[in-house]
Amino acid sequence: MTSSNNSELQEFKEGIDPFNLLPLWERQMKLMPGSHCVPAHWPYQTVRPLLEKSVALISKKEADRRVLVMENPSLRGSSFISQSLYAGQQIIMPGEVAPSHRHTPNALRFVVEGEGAYTSVDGIKMMMRPGDFVVTPNFTWHDHGNEGSQAVVWMDGLDTSFTSLFGAHFRENYSEDIYPVTHTSHHVDQHSESLIYPWQSSLDRLLQIPNSQMDPVHGFKLRYVDPKTGKDPLTTIAAFLQMLPKYFKGQTYRSTEHTVMNVAQGSCTLELGTQTYFLDTHDVMVVPSWETYRFLSKDGAVIFSFSDRSAQQALGFWREEYLID
Ligand code: GTQ
């Protein structure tokens, strides 16, 4: 190609710009896996005192939901922890109520600490305990309350980024604070089935996995499945519980999903790219798409996580790779 051709081409590119056109051939080969968000870590030791402080500064009523949003450092202003996921830490004090509303995004809760709180989904009131995983399917009415004597903290996970992407974010408040309760559940029954996954039974299932089925990357890992549909509990989000045994030294791995981890018990080290993170109990970590990582754990750990794998698999995009160290 001659240089006159090159300058003609340059001129051409500039000439088409006002028509909102651009040459695909300059861009196509640059598309590859990986994401615009970055790995980030929220130690509970940092977050917990700040939640406490927010309690003193704003009432639940004023706040509606008293939540500290965990926003990805490279997506400031978006309120998202990754391009595809939202995560927040919610605190509710004894006697408080978070008023009923509904919205198109799907939501999940993972209870971090405290007893006596409930979440009510379309009138099914479910008492929650630490480690419980609770689902709020899209457009169901939900309010939360704390009838106990302790502060209760849980992590919220939502797929708000999908409703934003599709321009389909609808929300409305219920006419009263509390949606009429039709059923109260202290344990899983036919009403709450597929909405609450209690900690103890999930942990028991995890501990029953034979040693021979330990994964070299993830240790012992289970994916939550909706007992009614056999599918992921949320249309976009998959959720997991995994256990790294003591002295675990994992193999390196990457996948196209964005994962939010919450350490339920114990601690571990996460080597991610060139960085090393020490994840203590209740810490939150976000791992972006296609970042290589591996787990190490001296004392053992149980980790709850959620990711956009459900949406990616439904769309046929999801890929994973076990890397040779
Ligand atoms: O508790 O309903 O963190 O609607 C963000 C949006 C929590 C909730 C969040 C919500 C909620």
Side-chain angles (χ1 to χ4, degrees):
M1 193 184 278
T2 64
S3 62
S4 84
N5 255 347
N6 266 337
S7 67
E8 271 178 55
L9 188 58
Q10 187 59 33
E11 219 171 279
F12 173 75
K13 272 192 304 187
E14 287 162 16
I16 65 175
D17 183 74
F19 304 105
N20 302 315
L21 293 168
L22 60 92
L24 173 63
W25 57 86
E26 300 221 330
R27 195 182 132 78
Q28 200 170 31
M29 299 315 285
K30 291 182 189 149
L31 297 174
M32 58 178 79
S35 123
H36 295 299
C37 65
V38 291
H41 175 208
W42 288 266
Y44 200 57
Q45 197 188 314
T46 306
V47 173
R48 185 61 177 86
L50 298 174
L51 284 169
E52 188 83 38
K53 212 165 183 176
S54 75
V55 168
L57 293 172
I58 188 163
S59 69
K60 193 80 180 174
K61 194 121 191 100
E62 279 176 285
D64 188 59
R65 299 290 189 267
R66 198 192 289 109
V67 175
L68 298 183
V69 177
M70 292 177 281
E71 191 170 57
N72 194 280
S74 76
L75 302 174
R76 296 314 304 263
S78 70
S79 85
F80 299 145
I81 196 165
S82 74
Q83 277 128 297
S84 54
L85 299 168
Y86 163 99
Q89 301 266 24
Q90 180 157 183
I91 185 164
I92 185 162
M93 301 303 286
E96 289 186 328
V97 168
S100 183
H101 68 197
R102 64 179 179 177
H103 39 65
T104 41
N106 295 285
L108 66 85
R109 334 269 162 214
F110 180 72
V111 184
V112 173
E113 67 163 78
E115 302 211 2
Y118 66 85
T119 191
S120 173
V121 175
D122 275 347
I124 300 168
K125 179 178 172 181
M126 295 169 286
M127 301 308 296
M128 302 188 291
R129 308 184 67 182
D132 288 355
F133 163 51
V134 184
V135 171
T136 308
N138 92 336
F139 229 56
T140 51
W141 294 109
H142 52 284
D143 51 80
H144 319 295
N146 184 345
E147 297 174 339
S149 55
Q150 309 163 348
V152 174
V153 177
W154 64 74
M155 176 176 72
D156 292 310
L158 282 90
D159 58 4
T160 321
S161 45
F162 288 85
T163 53
S164 297
L165 175 68
F166 294 126
H169 194 126
F170 292 87
R171 78 178 303 286
E172 58 184 307
N173 291 326
Y174 191 65
S175 52
E176 287 157 56
D177 279 359
I178 299 175
Y179 186 87
V181 173
T182 51
H183 183 83
T184 302
S185 171
H186 292 271
H187 55 87
V188 179
D189 57 30
Q190 57 164 345
H191 295 92
S192 58
E193 191 191 357
S194 86
L195 293 174
I196 183 162
Y197 301 78
W199 168 249
Q200 196 56 53
S201 58
S202 306
L203 189 64
D204 288 347
R205 294 283 284 277
L206 198 57
L207 297 173
Q208 279 162 17
I209 306 175
N211 278 333
S212 60
Q213 283 177 28
M214 188 176 84
D215 183 273
V217 169
H218 308 290
F220 300 96
K221 189 170 181 179
L222 291 176
R223 184 169 181 170
Y224 290 91
V225 172
D226 181 331
K228 285 185 178 146
T229 63
K231 295 182 180 170
D232 289 309
L234 301 161
T235 47
T236 49
I237 296 176
F240 306 88
L241 193 67
Q242 80 191 90
M243 192 199 41
L244 309 176
K246 281 186 182 176
Y247 302 108
F248 185 73
K249 190 163 180 272
Q251 193 182 328
T252 306
Y253 173 85
R254 61 183 172 180
S255 77
T256 53
E257 77 219 83
H258 299 83
T259 303
V260 177
M261 300 171 181
N262 190 314
V263 182
Q265 283 184 350
S267 62
C268 66
T269 297
L270 185 71
E271 290 181 358
L272 206 167
T274 56
Q275 295 281 95
T276 300
Y277 299 87
F278 179 74
L279 307 184
D280 212 342
T281 311
H282 305 322
D283 286 9
V284 174
M285 179 82 209
V286 62
V287 177
S289 162
W290 219 236
E291 296 275 350
T292 59
Y293 66 87
R294 70 164 175 167
F295 288 110
L296 305 163
S297 186
K298 188 162 104 14
D299 300 324
V302 179
I303 304 167
F304 170 85
S305 63
F306 68 96
S307 83
D308 51 22
R309 196 193 299 188
S310 186
Q312 289 205 33
Q313 287 186 317
L315 299 170
F317 299 150
W318 187 75
R319 301 283 187 283
E320 66 174 341
E321 201 169 49
Y322 285 69
L323 297 153
I324 308 300
D325 294 303

